[in-house]
């Protein structure tokens, strides 16, 4: 067995998590804070660079589903009561067409 950590273990050991209210999870690594807001269904990321900082907002629809599930599960472990995630959207929204329109 290798002494190297898996990517998941390495990622998890570099982040700390905190519950904010009943539906927001903060994941922090160094100067970067990720706020998963399960009520608003957005991820707010703040990067602090001394006297300067950058804030971005990303809708849950643009995020990896497994990451959202893991973040929600962690919030529940910390005592939060976030709303359930919406069902995954169907990826085949258009009917298949042949070579002739």
């Amino acid at each position: 067995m290798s002494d190297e950590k898996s990517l998941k273990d390495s990622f998890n050991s570099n982040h700390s998590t905190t519950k904010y209210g009943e539906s927001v999870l903060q994941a922090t690594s160094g100067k970067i804070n990720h706020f998963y807001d399960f009520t608003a269904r957005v991820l707010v990321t703040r990067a602090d660079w001394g006297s300067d900082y950058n804030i971005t907002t990303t809708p849950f629809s643009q995020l990896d589903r497994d990451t959202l599930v893991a973040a929600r599960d962690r919030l529940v472990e910390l005592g939060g009561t976030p709303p359930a995630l919406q069902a995954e959207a169907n990826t085949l929204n258009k009917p298949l067409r042949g070579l002739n329109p």
Side-chain angles (χ1 to χ4, degrees), residues 6 11 18 20 24 27-28 35 37 45-46 51 54 56-57 66-68 72-73 75 77 79 82 87 94 97:
S6 71
F11 179 85
T18 307
Y20 276 85
V24 178
T28 302
F35 297 90
D37 186 333
T45 302
R46 178 181 170 147
S51 62
N54 183 30
T56 59
T57 303
D66 291 340
T67 301
L68 290 174
R72 186 182 183 283
D73 289 348
L75 182 57
E77 287 176 11
K94 297 179 187 176
R97 296 174 64 174

Side-chain angles (χ1 to χ4, degrees), residues 55-77:
I55 296 176
T56 59
T57 303
T58 308
F60 277 8
S61 62
Q62 295 179 7
L63 298 175
D64 175 70
R65 177 89 177 167
D66 291 340
T67 301
L68 290 174
V69 169
R72 186 182 183 283
D73 289 348
R74 179 62 181 142
L75 182 57
V76 170
E77 287 176 11

